[in-house]
Amino acid sequence: MILTREFKLIDGNDRKLQARKMRENLTSYNMDNYIEPSFPKTARYRSLFNAYYITECFKEQTKVAYVGEVFPNELLFAFGFISLNFESISTLFSQSEAIDMCLRLTEENYLPRDLCSSVRAAYGAALANCLPRPDMIIINNHLCDGLSKLGFQFSKIYDTVYSTFNVPLQETDESVAYLAEQFQHVLQEIEQATGMAYDDARFRQVIALSNEAKDYFLKTIDIAKKVHIPGLQRELYEIMAVNCWGMKEMVKICRTLYDETQEKLAAGETAPRMKRMLWVGLAPDQSHEMVQYLEHKIELVYWTTYWEGNLMLLDSGQTLETMARRSISYLWNSVRMREQTAYVCDENEIDCIILVNTWGCRNMMGLGQAVREMALLKKIKFLSVDVDIRDKNNYSFSQVKNRIDAFLEIL
């Protein structure tokens, strides 16, 4: 049972009730800001898959795990799990008026407002009992240090299994072996939680599907680096954010995008080269006013799409080891962030960088200086803005717009 000040006692184990509460709170979904997709086949299939994915989470027979943003979901898919990450939950609610309810509930339950609003929004959705009861919660120590604390709190709310593992910041043979051993332990914990035995053949099938989807993804990225096709960079970001590598649906999504991109190339549907701006930091949904304003003036390239970990294939002969290298490769290390951001800038011929400091994100505030130093060294124009893509009380677009306009003028 969940105790809140607004709902008193809430049954945290009834997924039918949770599904109903989710529907009730998302009736105010903002359709006024609907954006006609540049890649309609891909966007349609991706949207249908997202809807199917969320619907499945609320079925009693479905095994659901809460995970962090860059969790290696192949480990879960091998056992038939569906995973939900906290960032996706926050993004879903931030596209409707329900975000105000979520944030208000966290304040009524004594969560401080100086925390990241993405963490607060996910916690508020749980307090409103709008999320499916998880069978497991598995969190690592990055990207966000707040997620491990949130995952632990959720394990208390839902009285469920909480598992965690530590990802080293430096890649060495020893650190890779250390993390691969932890992944083996995670597999054992999943076995205990589900009563299912590990099936190596099933795991290899998941890895093959992961690599097949990633292969189409990488081929599309190669095209996006060379030519400007409106909407392509955003669609690549959306697919990356789904993080369902290892599911057959992900193969279809990535293949559809690659095919649509080839069709546009053949039809000559490319646009003149625009200035390219690298978006560094947490990105909102595409209907967000800041994204819409920038996309009319410049080509946005999202840094997370080009993280080294998102471009790696897994070695079927050393799956856990390459999975460990992929996890270590994510950027929350000042040296690696500087090097990887420089690589992304070179590969995409970036003209300028916008560093988006999200309210309450201590990581970005600390590591932003590494990006600033890299931009100065490479003589790339740099802008830093403070925003909150969830809580409108901490953000004014008119103020940010003035800074953006002045920045764009010097380009």
Side-chain angles (χ1 to χ4, degrees):
M1 305 291 283
I2 304 172
L3 180 62
T4 73
R5 296 179 64 182
E6 178 169 336
F7 294 103
K8 297 183 180 179
L9 290 177
I10 295 178
D11 185 353
N13 295 312
D14 187 346
R15 284 186 178 169
K16 289 184 178 179
L17 172 63
Q18 290 162 345
R20 179 170 62 80
K21 286 186 171 295
M22 169 76 90
R23 290 194 300 269
E24 289 173 353
N25 281 291
L26 291 183
T27 53
S28 59
Y29 194 83
N30 186 4
M31 292 301 293
D32 293 336
N33 292 334
Y34 173 75
I35 307 300
E36 190 70 30
S38 301
F39 291 80
K41 296 177 186 177
T42 307
R44 186 182 306 117
Y45 188 77
R46 178 172 50 78
S47 298
L48 288 171
F49 170 67
N50 286 337
Y52 159 78
Y53 198 81
I54 293 173
T55 301
E56 287 294 303
C57 288
F58 288 98
K59 294 182 177 179
E60 286 298 328
Q61 68 272 22
T62 302
K63 295 184 288 293
V64 177
Y66 288 0
V67 300
E69 186 179 10
V70 293
F71 182 81
N73 281 321
E74 293 94 343
L75 297 175
L76 290 166
F77 295 155
F79 287 88
F81 263 86
I82 280 182
S83 67
L84 285 180
N85 76 69
F86 299 121
E87 297 288 1
S88 294
I89 291 169
S90 298
T91 300
L92 176 63
F93 278 83
S94 66
Q95 295 176 76
S96 77
E97 295 177 7
I99 190 67
D100 297 328
M101 174 271 297
C102 292
L103 296 172
R104 175 170 50 80
L105 277 177
T106 63
E107 294 179 29
E108 292 176 357
N109 284 271
Y110 313 111
L111 201 68
R113 287 191 65 251
D114 62 349
L115 291 178
C116 169
S117 57
S118 291
V119 170
R120 290 191 291 131
Y123 188 49
L127 291 176
N129 207 22
C130 294
L131 305 183
R133 181 194 71 252
D135 298 284
M136 286 190 76
I137 298 173
I138 313 176
I139 305 293
N140 55 302
N141 58 311
H142 70 227
L143 298 168
C144 169
D145 59 344
L147 293 186
S148 59
K149 300 176 182 66
L150 181 63
F152 179 77
Q153 185 68 19
F154 274 24
S155 71
K156 298 300 181 183
I157 288 176
Y158 294 105
D159 189 24
T160 192
V161 177
Y162 177 71
S163 176
T164 185
F165 59 93
N166 176 62
V167 180
L169 288 177
Q170 301 295 333
E171 181 183 330
T172 64
D173 290 342
E174 292 76 13
S175 65
V176 168
Y178 163 73
L179 184 52
E181 184 178 347
Q182 290 185 79
F183 286 156
Q184 189 66 54
H185 182 67
V186 169
L187 289 172
Q188 293 170 1
E189 289 191 318
I190 297 174
E191 283 184 310
Q192 294 173 3
T194 62
M196 296 174 60
Y198 168 76
D199 185 339
D200 188 64
R202 170 62 179 160
F203 186 50
R204 290 181 180 278
Q205 181 184 15
V206 169
I207 298 304
L209 289 171
S210 177
N211 285 339
E212 185 179 358
K214 188 64 69 71
D215 185 58
Y216 283 112
F217 184 75
L218 294 177
K219 288 192 291 187
T220 309
I221 274 184
D222 285 340
I223 297 172
K225 290 177 182 178
K226 300 170 185 174
V227 298
H228 175 34
I229 302 178
L232 180 55
Q233 293 285 357
R234 182 68 198 197
E235 195 60 45
L236 285 166
Y237 170 80
E238 295 287 353
I239 290 174
M240 177 281 303
V242 170
N243 190 23
C244 284
W245 311 108
M247 297 187 73
K248 64 180 186 297
E249 292 86 355
M250 197 67 167
V251 176
K252 183 170 182 179
I253 292 172
C254 292
R255 183 174 60 235
T256 303
L257 178 61
Y258 176 69
D259 290 343
E260 275 197 288
T261 303
Q262 292 285 27
E263 291 171 6
K264 287 180 179 293
L265 284 175
E269 296 182 22
T270 59
R273 170 75 155 80
M274 298 176 68
K275 296 284 188 182
R276 282 186 169 180
M277 172 183 281
L278 184 67
W279 179 295
V280 177
L282 187 64
D285 65 276
Q286 192 174 6
S287 66
H288 192 274
E289 56 195 355
M290 187 172 165
V291 173
Q292 284 302 299
Y293 187 72
L294 281 169
E295 285 192 339
H296 283 91
K297 298 176 176 294
I298 206 163
E299 183 182 3
L300 280 179
V301 177
Y302 296 91
W303 73 320
T304 46
T305 303
Y306 294 89
W307 282 354
E308 183 183 2
N310 289 328
L311 307 181
M312 291 176 62
L313 298 176
L314 297 173
D315 185 342
S316 58
Q318 292 186 312
T319 305
L320 294 183
E321 287 76 14
T322 52
M323 197 175 286
R325 292 186 187 278
R326 184 180 67 181
S327 294
I328 295 172
S329 72
Y330 287 108
L331 298 179
W332 298 125
N333 168 303
S334 59
V335 174
R336 189 179 300 119
M337 172 175 278
R338 188 184 297 111
E339 293 174 349
Q340 284 295 303
T341 308
Y343 172 79
V344 174
C345 289
D346 291 341
E347 288 289 296
N348 289 274
E349 299 180 355
I350 295 298
D351 298 290
C352 60
I353 296 173
I354 183 168
L355 178 71
V356 183
N357 291 310
T358 304
W359 173 278
C361 182
R362 294 183 293 274
N363 283 324
M364 284 308 304
M365 291 296 289
L367 293 171
Q369 183 61 28
V371 180
R372 186 189 299 270
E373 292 172 358
M374 182 280 302
L376 181 63
L377 184 64
K378 298 182 74 65
K379 298 182 180 179
I380 298 175
K381 302 297 183 184
F382 179 88
L383 173 68
S384 175
V385 294
D386 297 326
V387 303
D388 193 323
I389 60 178
R390 314 290 182 211
D391 190 347
K392 60 177 178 283
N393 294 315
N394 300 324
Y395 161 78
S396 170
F397 175 62
S398 60
Q399 295 179 359
V400 174
K401 176 180 175 297
N402 290 337
R403 296 199 62 210
I404 291 173
D405 286 341
F407 179 70
L408 292 178
E409 283 184 13
I410 68 175
L411 291 177

PDB file of all heavy atoms in Angstrom, residues 343-363:
ATOM      1  N   TYR A 343      34.711  14.219 -30.962  1.00  0.00           N
ATOM      2  CA  TYR A 343      34.541  13.263 -32.059  1.00  0.00           C
ATOM      3  C   TYR A 343      33.207  13.488 -32.768  1.00  0.00           C
ATOM      4  O   TYR A 343      33.140  13.505 -34.005  1.00  0.00           O
ATOM      5  CB  TYR A 343      34.629  11.837 -31.520  1.00  0.00           C
ATOM      6  CG  TYR A 343      34.283  10.770 -32.528  1.00  0.00           C
ATOM      7  CD1 TYR A 343      35.203  10.370 -33.492  1.00  0.00           C
ATOM      8  CD2 TYR A 343      33.028  10.154 -32.524  1.00  0.00           C
ATOM      9  CE1 TYR A 343      34.891   9.390 -34.422  1.00  0.00           C
ATOM     10  CE2 TYR A 343      32.703   9.186 -33.446  1.00  0.00           C
ATOM     11  CZ  TYR A 343      33.638   8.806 -34.393  1.00  0.00           C
ATOM     12  OH  TYR A 343      33.311   7.839 -35.312  1.00  0.00           O
ATOM     13  N   VAL A 344      32.137  13.685 -31.990  1.00  0.00           N
ATOM     14  CA  VAL A 344      30.817  13.932 -32.577  1.00  0.00           C
ATOM     15  C   VAL A 344      30.841  15.211 -33.404  1.00  0.00           C
ATOM     16  O   VAL A 344      30.277  15.267 -34.502  1.00  0.00           O
ATOM     17  CB  VAL A 344      29.740  14.012 -31.475  1.00  0.00           C
ATOM     18  CG1 VAL A 344      28.394  14.426 -32.069  1.00  0.00           C
ATOM     19  CG2 VAL A 344      29.601  12.672 -30.764  1.00  0.00           C
ATOM     20  N   CYS A 345      31.509  16.231 -32.896  1.00  0.00           N
ATOM     21  CA  CYS A 345      31.599  17.503 -33.628  1.00  0.00           C
ATOM     22  C   CYS A 345      32.322  17.321 -34.959  1.00  0.00           C
ATOM     23  O   CYS A 345      31.902  17.862 -35.992  1.00  0.00           O
ATOM     24  CB  CYS A 345      32.315  18.551 -32.782  1.00  0.00           C
ATOM     25  SG  CYS A 345      31.349  19.152 -31.376  1.00  0.00           S
ATOM     26  N   ASP A 346      33.405  16.555 -34.956  1.00  0.00           N
ATOM     27  CA  ASP A 346      34.168  16.324 -36.183  1.00  0.00           C
ATOM     28  C   ASP A 346      33.359  15.498 -37.185  1.00  0.00           C
ATOM     29  O   ASP A 346      33.323  15.815 -38.381  1.00  0.00           O
ATOM     30  CB  ASP A 346      35.480  15.601 -35.864  1.00  0.00           C
ATOM     31  CG  ASP A 346      36.457  16.486 -35.107  1.00  0.00           C
ATOM     32  OD1 ASP A 346      36.284  17.712 -35.150  1.00  0.00           O
ATOM     33  OD2 ASP A 346      37.370  15.935 -34.463  1.00  0.00           O
ATOM     34  N   GLU A 347      32.728  14.443 -36.711  1.00  0.00           N
ATOM     35  CA  GLU A 347      31.994  13.545 -37.594  1.00  0.00           C
ATOM     36  C   GLU A 347      30.791  14.227 -38.249  1.00  0.00           C
ATOM     37  O   GLU A 347      30.405  13.878 -39.358  1.00  0.00           O
ATOM     38  CB  GLU A 347      31.522  12.312 -36.812  1.00  0.00           C
ATOM     39  CG  GLU A 347      32.614  11.336 -36.436  1.00  0.00           C
ATOM     40  CD  GLU A 347      33.151  10.594 -37.647  1.00  0.00           C
ATOM     41  OE1 GLU A 347      32.395   9.834 -38.271  1.00  0.00           O
ATOM     42  OE2 GLU A 347      34.346  10.788 -37.971  1.00  0.00           O
ATOM     43  N   ASN A 348      30.201  15.175 -37.546  1.00  0.00           N
ATOM     44  CA  ASN A 348      28.977  15.818 -38.046  1.00  0.00           C
ATOM     45  C   ASN A 348      29.200  17.248 -38.517  1.00  0.00           C
ATOM     46  O   ASN A 348      28.241  17.946 -38.831  1.00  0.00           O
ATOM     47  CB  ASN A 348      27.906  15.804 -36.943  1.00  0.00           C
ATOM     48  CG  ASN A 348      27.349  14.427 -36.676  1.00  0.00           C
ATOM     49  OD1 ASN A 348      26.423  13.978 -37.341  1.00  0.00           O
ATOM     50  ND2 ASN A 348      27.916  13.749 -35.693  1.00  0.00           N
ATOM     51  N   GLU A 349      30.448  17.690 -38.548  1.00  0.00           N
ATOM     52  CA  GLU A 349      30.772  19.053 -38.977  1.00  0.00           C
ATOM     53  C   GLU A 349      29.921  20.077 -38.222  1.00  0.00           C
ATOM     54  O   GLU A 349      29.242  20.919 -38.808  1.00  0.00           O
ATOM     55  CB  GLU A 349      30.584  19.202 -40.487  1.00  0.00           C
ATOM     56  CG  GLU A 349      31.493  18.279 -41.296  1.00  0.00           C
ATOM     57  CD  GLU A 349      31.293  18.436 -42.798  1.00  0.00           C
ATOM     58  OE1 GLU A 349      30.382  19.183 -43.205  1.00  0.00           O
ATOM     59  OE2 GLU A 349      32.047  17.821 -43.554  1.00  0.00           O
ATOM     60  N   ILE A 350      29.977  19.984 -36.897  1.00  0.00           N
ATOM     61  CA  ILE A 350      29.165  20.839 -36.036  1.00  0.00           C
ATOM     62  C   ILE A 350      29.683  22.277 -36.075  1.00  0.00           C
ATOM     63  O   ILE A 350      30.889  22.526 -35.988  1.00  0.00           O
ATOM     64  CB  ILE A 350      29.184  20.304 -34.586  1.00  0.00           C
ATOM     65  CG1 ILE A 350      28.492  18.923 -34.513  1.00  0.00           C
ATOM     66  CG2 ILE A 350      28.523  21.282 -33.631  1.00  0.00           C
ATOM     67  CD1 ILE A 350      27.041  18.920 -34.901  1.00  0.00           C
ATOM     68  N   ASP A 351      28.755  23.235 -36.202  1.00  0.00           N
ATOM     69  CA  ASP A 351      29.103  24.648 -36.240  1.00  0.00           C
ATOM     70  C   ASP A 351      29.008  25.310 -34.875  1.00  0.00           C
ATOM     71  O   ASP A 351      29.701  26.295 -34.609  1.00  0.00           O
ATOM     72  CB  ASP A 351      28.179  25.391 -37.211  1.00  0.00           C
ATOM     73  CG  ASP A 351      28.322  24.870 -38.629  1.00  0.00           C
ATOM     74  OD1 ASP A 351      29.372  25.117 -39.241  1.00  0.00           O
ATOM     75  OD2 ASP A 351      27.384  24.200 -39.118  1.00  0.00           O
ATOM     76  N   CYS A 352      28.131  24.793 -34.016  1.00  0.00           N
ATOM     77  CA  CYS A 352      27.948  25.413 -32.702  1.00  0.00           C
ATOM     78  C   CYS A 352      27.370  24.387 -31.735  1.00  0.00           C
ATOM     79  O   CYS A 352      26.852  23.347 -32.145  1.00  0.00           O
ATOM     80  CB  CYS A 352      27.033  26.634 -32.784  1.00  0.00           C
ATOM     81  SG  CYS A 352      25.375  26.266 -33.410  1.00  0.00           S
ATOM     82  N   ILE A 353      27.461  24.686 -30.462  1.00  0.00           N
ATOM     83  CA  ILE A 353      26.995  23.784 -29.403  1.00  0.00           C
ATOM     84  C   ILE A 353      26.072  24.555 -28.480  1.00  0.00           C
ATOM     85  O   ILE A 353      26.358  25.694 -28.097  1.00  0.00           O
ATOM     86  CB  ILE A 353      28.176  23.220 -28.585  1.00  0.00           C
ATOM     87  CG1 ILE A 353      29.088  22.359 -29.460  1.00  0.00           C
ATOM     88  CG2 ILE A 353      27.681  22.417 -27.387  1.00  0.00           C
ATOM     89  CD1 ILE A 353      30.362  21.918 -28.766  1.00  0.00           C
ATOM     90  N   ILE A 354      24.953  23.926 -28.109  1.00  0.00           N
ATOM     91  CA  ILE A 354      24.106  24.472 -27.054  1.00  0.00           C
ATOM     92  C   ILE A 354      24.121  23.485 -25.897  1.00  0.00           C
ATOM     93  O   ILE A 354      23.762  22.317 -26.058  1.00  0.00           O
ATOM     94  CB  ILE A 354      22.666  24.756 -27.547  1.00  0.00           C
ATOM     95  CG1 ILE A 354      21.848  25.391 -26.420  1.00  0.00           C
ATOM     96  CG2 ILE A 354      21.986  23.513 -28.094  1.00  0.00           C
ATOM     97  CD1 ILE A 354      20.516  25.967 -26.870  1.00  0.00           C
ATOM     98  N   LEU A 355      24.604  23.926 -24.757  1.00  0.00           N
ATOM     99  CA  LEU A 355      24.632  23.111 -23.552  1.00  0.00           C
ATOM    100  C   LEU A 355      23.373  23.415 -22.750  1.00  0.00           C
ATOM    101  O   LEU A 355      23.170  24.552 -22.310  1.00  0.00           O
ATOM    102  CB  LEU A 355      25.882  23.419 -22.728  1.00  0.00           C
ATOM    103  CG  LEU A 355      26.012  22.662 -21.406  1.00  0.00           C
ATOM    104  CD1 LEU A 355      26.316  21.193 -21.667  1.00  0.00           C
ATOM    105  CD2 LEU A 355      27.098  23.267 -20.533  1.00  0.00           C
ATOM    106  N   VAL A 356      22.522  22.402 -22.595  1.00  0.00           N
ATOM    107  CA  VAL A 356      21.236  22.588 -21.932  1.00  0.00           C
ATOM    108  C   VAL A 356      21.360  22.103 -20.487  1.00  0.00           C
ATOM    109  O   VAL A 356      21.333  20.902 -20.213  1.00  0.00           O
ATOM    110  CB  VAL A 356      20.124  21.821 -22.679  1.00  0.00           C
ATOM    111  CG1 VAL A 356      18.769  22.079 -22.024  1.00  0.00           C
ATOM    112  CG2 VAL A 356      20.090  22.236 -24.152  1.00  0.00           C
ATOM    113  N   ASN A 357      21.517  23.042 -19.580  1.00  0.00           N
ATOM    114  CA  ASN A 357      21.609  22.714 -18.157  1.00  0.00           C
ATOM    115  C   ASN A 357      20.204  22.537 -17.600  1.00  0.00           C
ATOM    116  O   ASN A 357      19.448  23.498 -17.485  1.00  0.00           O
ATOM    117  CB  ASN A 357      22.329  23.829 -17.397  1.00  0.00           C
ATOM    118  CG  ASN A 357      23.797  23.910 -17.759  1.00  0.00           C
ATOM    119  OD1 ASN A 357      24.494  22.902 -17.743  1.00  0.00           O
ATOM    120  ND2 ASN A 357      24.267  25.104 -18.089  1.00  0.00           N
ATOM    121  N   THR A 358      19.858  21.299 -17.287  1.00  0.00           N
ATOM    122  CA  THR A 358      18.527  21.001 -16.774  1.00  0.00           C
ATOM    123  C   THR A 358      18.483  21.214 -15.273  1.00  0.00           C
ATOM    124  O   THR A 358      19.410  20.838 -14.554  1.00  0.00           O
ATOM    125  CB  THR A 358      18.135  19.550 -17.111  1.00  0.00           C
ATOM    126  OG1 THR A 358      18.229  19.364 -18.522  1.00  0.00           O
ATOM    127  CG2 THR A 358      16.726  19.241 -16.653  1.00  0.00           C
ATOM    128  N   TRP A 359      17.400  21.810 -14.819  1.00  0.00           N
ATOM    129  CA  TRP A 359      17.204  22.113 -13.405  1.00  0.00           C
ATOM    130  C   TRP A 359      17.504  20.877 -12.549  1.00  0.00           C
ATOM    131  O   TRP A 359      16.962  19.802 -12.763  1.00  0.00           O
ATOM    132  CB  TRP A 359      15.759  22.569 -13.182  1.00  0.00           C
ATOM    133  CG  TRP A 359      15.362  22.770 -11.757  1.00  0.00           C
ATOM    134  CD1 TRP A 359      14.961  21.811 -10.872  1.00  0.00           C
ATOM    135  CD2 TRP A 359      15.322  24.011 -11.044  1.00  0.00           C
ATOM    136  NE1 TRP A 359      14.666  22.370  -9.666  1.00  0.00           N
ATOM    137  CE2 TRP A 359      14.881  23.725  -9.728  1.00  0.00           C
ATOM    138  CE3 TRP A 359      15.606  25.325 -11.387  1.00  0.00           C
ATOM    139  CZ2 TRP A 359      14.714  24.713  -8.770  1.00  0.00           C
ATOM    140  CZ3 TRP A 359      15.441  26.304 -10.424  1.00  0.00           C
ATOM    141  CH2 TRP A 359      15.000  25.999  -9.133  1.00  0.00           C
ATOM    142  N   GLY A 360      18.381  21.052 -11.567  1.00  0.00           N
ATOM    143  CA  GLY A 360      18.657  19.993 -10.595  1.00  0.00           C
ATOM    144  C   GLY A 360      19.633  18.937 -11.052  1.00  0.00           C
ATOM    145  O   GLY A 360      19.944  18.019 -10.282  1.00  0.00           O
ATOM    146  N   CYS A 361      20.144  19.025 -12.291  1.00  0.00           N
ATOM    147  CA  CYS A 361      21.068  18.002 -12.791  1.00  0.00           C
ATOM    148  C   CYS A 361      22.500  18.392 -12.409  1.00  0.00           C
ATOM    149  O   CYS A 361      23.124  19.235 -13.051  1.00  0.00           O
ATOM    150  CB  CYS A 361      20.951  17.845 -14.309  1.00  0.00           C
ATOM    151  SG  CYS A 361      22.043  16.552 -14.978  1.00  0.00           S
ATOM    152  N   ARG A 362      23.010  17.786 -11.385  1.00  0.00           N
ATOM    153  CA  ARG A 362      24.356  18.109 -10.913  1.00  0.00           C
ATOM    154  C   ARG A 362      25.422  17.616 -11.891  1.00  0.00           C
ATOM    155  O   ARG A 362      26.507  18.199 -12.001  1.00  0.00           O
ATOM    156  CB  ARG A 362      24.578  17.508  -9.525  1.00  0.00           C
ATOM    157  CG  ARG A 362      23.695  18.137  -8.449  1.00  0.00           C
ATOM    158  CD  ARG A 362      23.991  17.568  -7.081  1.00  0.00           C
ATOM    159  NE  ARG A 362      23.612  16.177  -6.979  1.00  0.00           N
ATOM    160  CZ  ARG A 362      22.388  15.767  -6.658  1.00  0.00           C
ATOM    161  NH1 ARG A 362      21.437  16.652  -6.427  1.00  0.00           N
ATOM    162  NH2 ARG A 362      22.098  14.489  -6.564  1.00  0.00           N
ATOM    163  N   ASN A 363      25.131  16.533 -12.597  1.00  0.00           N
ATOM    164  CA  ASN A 363      26.112  16.003 -13.556  1.00  0.00           C
ATOM    165  C   ASN A 363      26.421  17.010 -14.657  1.00  0.00           C
ATOM    166  O   ASN A 363      27.578  17.290 -14.961  1.00  0.00           O
ATOM    167  CB  ASN A 363      25.595  14.695 -14.167  1.00  0.00           C
ATOM    168  CG  ASN A 363      25.733  13.534 -13.218  1.00  0.00           C
ATOM    169  OD1 ASN A 363      26.690  13.444 -12.458  1.00  0.00           O
ATOM    170  ND2 ASN A 363      24.766  12.637 -13.239  1.00  0.00           N
TER     171      ASN A 363
END
